[in-house]
Structure formats: structure tokens, C-alpha cells
Amino acid sequence: MGARGAFTVYAKQLARELVSAGLGKSIIRLGHEANGTWYADNVGTTQAQWAQWKAFWRKTALAMNSVSGADFAFDWCISAGYRPIPFSDYYQGTTW
């Protein structure tokens, strides 16, 4: 669902609230410790799940920065030395 954009409305709502509170230039830490297994929202275990995770967070970042006044930076963080999944398989890129 998230990979198809089902939650972008919530991302935009959060962004609007942050902008209205004067926090439009905040650093947002999405999907922390993504390659770990201790959070339910980790990258998953298959290439298909990694691709869905990547699409979901990319859509989230794009939606948040589409809000007027938003200029968020996103901190994509992994857990060093744990599940050495190729970063390019789940990193969203920086072209927003």
C-alpha cells in the first residue's frame, strides 16, 4: 500500500504541520536502522520487499517536500555491520 502512495496524504499532513510550527527545514529520520530486524518497518527480507520499502520512503520524502514552505532533509540510517544488504537495493536516492 505505501509503495503505491496510499500514505502520502499523511506525509503531506505532517509536513504542513511542521511547516506551520516553523519546522520546515527539519531533518527527518525515516526508517531508522532499516536493515535491522528489530523494527516491524524494516526493509524486509526479499528484493521485492526492499523495492517496496524504497518506493514507500521515496514517495514519503517527495510528498513531504512538495508542501509549500517545506525544505526537509532526510537522514537515511542503517545499522552498521548488520545484514549487509546492498544499500542501492533500498536507498531511495536524493533527487527530490
Side-chain angles (χ1 to χ4, degrees), residues 24-90:
K25 291 187 177 279
S26 294
I27 299 170
I28 309 294
R29 189 175 182 209
L30 295 176
H32 63 287
E33 299 177 2
N35 63 327
T37 55
W38 43 89
Y39 293 114
D41 62 348
N42 71 69
V43 299
T45 57
T46 67
Q47 286 189 327
Q49 289 173 332
W50 302 338
Q52 289 173 335
W53 194 92
K54 181 178 188 174
F56 173 61
W57 289 119
R58 180 167 176 75
K59 287 183 186 307
T60 299
L62 288 168
M64 290 184 74
N65 271 336
S66 74
V67 169
S68 179
D71 186 23
F72 300 111
F74 293 89
D75 178 7
W76 306 106
C77 145
I78 60 173
S79 184
Y82 193 83
R83 285 205 307 165
I85 302 165
F87 196 53
S88 61
D89 286 351
Y90 61 98

